[in-house]
Amino acid sequence: MIAVAVFVLFLAVAAWLPAGPRAAGRGEPGPVFPAHVLLADEEADLKLFHDLDLDVDGVFRGYARVYLIDEELAKLRHLGYTVTVVQDEAAWRRGPAAPEAPGSDSVPAQYHTYATLTADLQQIAADHPDITRLSSIGQTVQGRELWMVEITDNPDADEDEPEAGYISSMHGDEVVGKELCFNLIDYLTDNYGTDARVTDLVDGTEIWIMPSMNPDGTALGRRYNANWVDLNRDFPDQFDDPVNTPAGREPETQAVMSWRAGRNISLSANFHGGALVANYPFDSNTSGSSVYSPSPDDDVFVSVARTYADNNPPMSVSNGHSSFNNGVCNGADWYAINGGMQDWSYVWHGGHELTLEVSNTKWPASNTLSGHWDDNRESMLAYLERVHEGVRGIVTDATTGAALAATVTVDGNGFPTYTDPALGDYHRVLLPGTYTLEVSATGYSSVLLPGVVVTAGAAVRHDVALTPLDAELLPVSGCADSGVDCDGFLMPGQTADLAVTLRNLGVSATQVAGNLVPTG
């Protein structure tokens, strides 16, 4: 009977289905409000909401929180759904509300406005010029600067260090993360040079933090940007918007995409509110169904999500939905969306990114901020430290030593990691185990690295020199000892400790007893 009812329901709304990829924006819709929609058959109902392009914001036991306009509310009720409009937290908490309780020295007694955030970030950058750079990566629809803070020991230099980052409040009414990111900036800069853990983290990592991706939305007291677009539905999507271009997207999205294209972020997270969970890719699938949709790096994602949740006491026991596993969940298993930033970061840039829901209330009273900081501080630090695990190295041209823009692929995993072209360094978070890596670059013979052993703790290093395809080839010393004629396999100065794929010759080679032997 359920299947028949769902089929009839789809027939009833067929004319309402949007054409083409799911829209990220609403144009000028008039009032948008949150509502709770009761779910009779969760998977079927969520699939219908996805196909109807409804802005689902969270799914809990028995209901979905959905942002609606009047027309959508009427149609859902017409289809038989029980819909209850709920209070919009941001509508009455937005703006420079007076402090509700005294704050500590390190936590503001009230939420930052755009003006106070700008002033405080400028002051921190002025007070800590040796480790901090403040820059705008672009402007919002209404002309506000999108502030990005870099914290590292040599902020003006490219170094062989992993990059990690946090971005918050792309939904303008989800503001706890904005204060957490500001607090972390303040904490790292104040404790550098006196706290060994902070000093090690800053010295060995390029840390990027954007406290507010949607300051227009926060100033307006709403989820959307000034064009009424949900920025976490506005990124390229592997399933329904698979062209990785900023063209046609919102200025905030374009700014982040352009900034990210010039960086090599290995581990990152974006902050939200309205639940307590560390959410990991994939956010969707080919059907748009709300079912578990693992990526090839599912083990890594679960592990780093556990790091965040396990260090956050309220999150570690959160059970707001059946898909939550003590504070972690797969994105699509909770509810499917397209155009989210975490999937885009992973699919097109090879970085591991989470979506962190850090408060059940989106815009809680300001006297709760110190408690949220206490809950999240260790999680934020421990998560950043995970970027130093796995495998790392530098990829260069074997003839010149110049850094290369290269791709590093784990055997059996179609989502690679990329080097920083300026220095050639790569950093790939992997769990302990034994892996085969392939390192490749346009115009060069690929290198196969079998038997790469990753252990717990610091990343294992594997530097790689790639041979240009048109380079002069010389005989391999000692290779004939294997009984195989393998002349012409290595460049001058190379040794037979690497397995080289000679694509220009159509011959593959592998390592046997220290010598290179043809395999095909």
Side-chain angles (χ1 to χ4, degrees), residues 150-492:
E150 178 188 11
I151 302 175
T152 188
D153 60 338
N154 291 302
D156 296 324
D158 278 313
E159 295 186 295
D160 179 15
E161 296 176 346
E163 300 183 56
Y166 289 137
I167 292 178
S168 185
S169 302
M170 68 173 73
H171 291 147
D173 61 342
E174 299 171 9
V175 289
V176 170
K178 178 180 71 170
E179 303 304 330
L180 295 179
C181 285
F182 174 81
N183 293 343
L184 183 63
I185 293 167
D186 196 36
Y187 182 85
L188 293 175
T189 53
D190 274 356
N191 288 280
Y192 179 76
T194 58
D195 182 287
R197 182 187 189 188
V198 168
T199 303
D200 287 345
L201 184 60
V202 172
D203 283 348
T205 320
E206 291 183 27
I207 302 169
W208 300 88
I209 305 175
M210 173 185 277
S212 180
M213 183 180 162
N214 185 10
D216 290 358
T218 300
L220 293 165
R222 70 187 188 207
R223 173 182 181 85
Y224 307 95
N225 78 343
N227 285 335
W228 288 101
V229 173
D230 185 331
L231 298 179
N232 205 35
R233 311 291 188 272
D234 192 40
F235 284 87
D237 186 274
Q238 62 179 326
F239 299 116
D240 77 348
D241 185 13
V243 180
N244 187 34
T245 175
R249 306 184 195 279
E250 292 304 295
E252 298 89 348
T253 310
Q254 290 187 36
V256 170
M257 291 181 68
S258 298
W259 167 79
R260 183 65 181 262
R263 308 265 29 110
N264 191 23
I265 311 294
S266 300
L267 187 66
S268 55
N270 60 87
F271 287 82
H272 296 258
L276 280 173
V277 69
N279 173 325
Y280 55 89
F282 287 129
D283 269 331
S284 190
N285 44 65
T286 54
S287 69
S289 299
S290 293
V291 295
Y292 199 106
S293 302
S295 74
D297 284 283
D298 194 62
D299 59 344
V300 174
F301 278 118
V302 171
S303 179
V304 296
R306 283 255 62 93
T307 291
Y308 199 95
D310 290 348
N311 284 288
N312 184 317
M315 186 182 291
S316 66
V317 297
S318 67
N319 58 353
H321 186 261
S322 59
S323 65
F324 291 7
N325 177 16
N326 293 329
V328 308
C329 75
N330 173 261
D333 195 33
W334 187 16
Y335 63 98
I337 69 166
N338 295 91
M341 188 161 71
Q342 70 172 9
D343 280 15
W344 169 77
S345 297
Y346 176 64
V347 171
W348 274 281
H349 291 283
H352 294 90
E353 179 157 328
L354 302 183
T355 299
L356 299 172
E357 303 276 356
V358 292
S359 60
N360 282 318
T361 303
K362 294 190 174 194
W363 200 309
S366 60
N367 64 354
T368 67
L369 290 176
S370 61
H372 285 298
W373 174 235
D374 290 340
D375 290 338
N376 286 272
R377 180 176 57 249
E378 178 58 30
S379 294
M380 296 178 82
L381 293 170
Y383 185 76
L384 289 177
E385 289 170 333
R386 293 294 305 270
V387 77
H388 291 278
E389 300 177 12
V391 62
R392 65 183 296 184
I394 295 179
V395 182
T396 56
D397 182 306
T399 60
T400 68
L404 292 181
T407 300
V408 181
T409 304
V410 178
D411 185 44
N413 185 328
F415 292 85
T417 294
Y418 304 96
T419 64
D420 181 341
L423 192 64
D425 60 316
Y426 69 93
H427 306 267
R428 173 77 181 225
V429 178
L430 291 171
L431 300 189
T434 301
Y435 301 88
T436 296
L437 306 182
E438 182 179 13
V439 184
S440 59
T442 302
Y444 290 81
S445 297
S446 298
V447 164
L448 199 66
L449 300 176
V452 174
V453 178
V454 173
T455 58
V460 61
R461 173 174 287 279
H462 282 276
D463 295 335
V464 179
L466 297 183
T467 303
L469 289 175
D470 58 355
E472 179 185 2
L473 298 172
L474 298 179
V476 179
S477 174
C479 188
D481 294 342
S482 66
V484 178
D485 181 10
C486 46
D487 285 353
F489 275 13
L490 294 185
M491 281 294 303

